[in-house]
């Protein structure tokens, strides 16, 4: 029985999971969650994710939430299938993947997500005006993070080494939306970061998922 992902195709956290499933070649069913009517806050969904946020995963008797936990689970369970995303058979490579997974979660995501929220979510879903002060503050933070990335990517093709991993994959959803904003220049102005982005965003698994993000 195919596993189920509860979420929506435009959600960054949902698409993080869908891209991982694509890289691993795992069959799944995407079960839409109607957030406009608050379906994600109803008891049926809360039983899957107690925080009332998408996505949630059902794999047999296992129910799991938090997109980064879900992708690690998928990549571990199916480690011998599809793309090797965690390098579990090599301690040093696996450690490098884990380090950059943490960097994405604790440095990259907190800097980029408010920019995307202001540019893409506020105008589209709330008919509001982006707060330029919030954007400016987080552009400053993202600049500092991307300077570190530029230095690292001048030495290796991908973040954890010369191999694509879950660490790279986790950057895809938010960066995809950033590239549709004026702040795309933060990526485009750094040659190694730009080359990395063009590489990882052209992978078939993400290109398929990205069709649903437009």
């Amino acid at each position: 029985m195919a596993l189920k992902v509860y979420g929506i195709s435009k959600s960054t956290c949902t698409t993080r999971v869908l891209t991982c499933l694509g890289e691993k070649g795992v069959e799944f069913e995407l079960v839409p969650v109607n957030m406009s009517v608050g379906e994600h806050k109803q008891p049926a969904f809360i039983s899957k994710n107690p925080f009332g946020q998408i996505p949630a995963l059902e794999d047999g008797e296992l129910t799991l939430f938090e997109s980064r936990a879900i992708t690690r689970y998928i990549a571990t369970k199916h480690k011998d299938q599809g793309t090797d995303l965690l390098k579990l058979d090599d301690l040093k490579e696996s450690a490098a993947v884990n380090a950059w997974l943490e960097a994405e979660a604790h440095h990259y995501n907190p800097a980029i997500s408010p920019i995307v929220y202001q540019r893409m979510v506020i105008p589209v879903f709330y008919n509001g005006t982006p707060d330029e002060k919030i954007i400016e503050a987080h552009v400053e933070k993202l600049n500092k993070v991307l300077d570190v990335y530029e230095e690292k990517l001048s030495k290796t093709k991908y973040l954890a080494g010369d191999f694509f991993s879950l660490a790279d994959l986790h950057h895809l959803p938010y960066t995809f939306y950033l590239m549709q904003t004026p702040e795309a220049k933060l990526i485009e102005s750094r040659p190694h970061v730009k080359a990395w982005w063009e590489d990882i965003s052209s992978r078939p698994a993400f290109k398929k998922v990205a069709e649903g993000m437009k």
Side-chain angles (χ1 to χ4, degrees), residues 6 29 53 109 123 128-130 147 155 172 186 196 201 209 211:
Y6 294 81
E29 176 188 355
Q53 298 174 332
N109 189 74
T129 302
D147 284 345
K155 299 174 181 176
L172 283 163
L186 300 177
W196 166 74
S201 62
V209 171
E211 286 299 314

Side-chain angles (χ1 to χ4, degrees), residues 4-8 11-18 30-31 33 35 40 45 48-58 63-71:
K4 294 182 179 181
V5 179
Y6 294 81
I8 56 177
S11 155
T12 51
C13 293
T14 302
T15 54
R16 184 178 291 123
V17 172
L18 301 185
L30 177 61
V31 182
V33 177
M35 300 180 71
H40 57 305
F45 186 80
K48 299 174 178 60
N49 185 334
F51 294 100
Q53 298 174 332
I54 56 174
L57 174 85
E58 284 185 350
T63 300
L64 196 60
F65 58 94
E66 295 296 340
S67 65
R68 292 172 180 82
I70 293 171
T71 59

Side-chain angles (χ1 to χ4, degrees), residues 103-177:
E104 184 277 330
H106 299 294
H107 297 283
Y108 191 82
N109 189 74
I112 194 174
S113 57
I115 300 172
V116 171
Y117 185 81
Q118 291 296 324
R119 290 287 190 220
M120 305 293 288
V121 178
I122 293 292
V124 174
F125 293 98
Y126 298 102
N127 197 30
T129 302
D131 188 323
E132 295 296 335
K133 289 185 178 180
I134 292 177
I135 293 171
E136 182 180 352
H138 286 86
V139 163
E140 182 178 353
K141 294 178 181 179
L142 187 56
N143 262 319
K144 292 178 181 178
V145 174
L146 288 173
D147 284 345
V148 175
Y149 279 47
E150 179 68 10
E151 173 65 19
K152 178 64 173 72
L153 292 166
S154 71
K155 299 174 181 176
T156 58
K157 186 175 182 180
Y158 301 101
L159 290 172
D162 290 320
F163 53 88
F164 177 80
S165 75
L166 195 63
D168 304 291
L169 185 153
H170 277 191
H171 291 76
L172 283 163
Y174 270 109
T175 312
F176 175 81
Y177 284 128

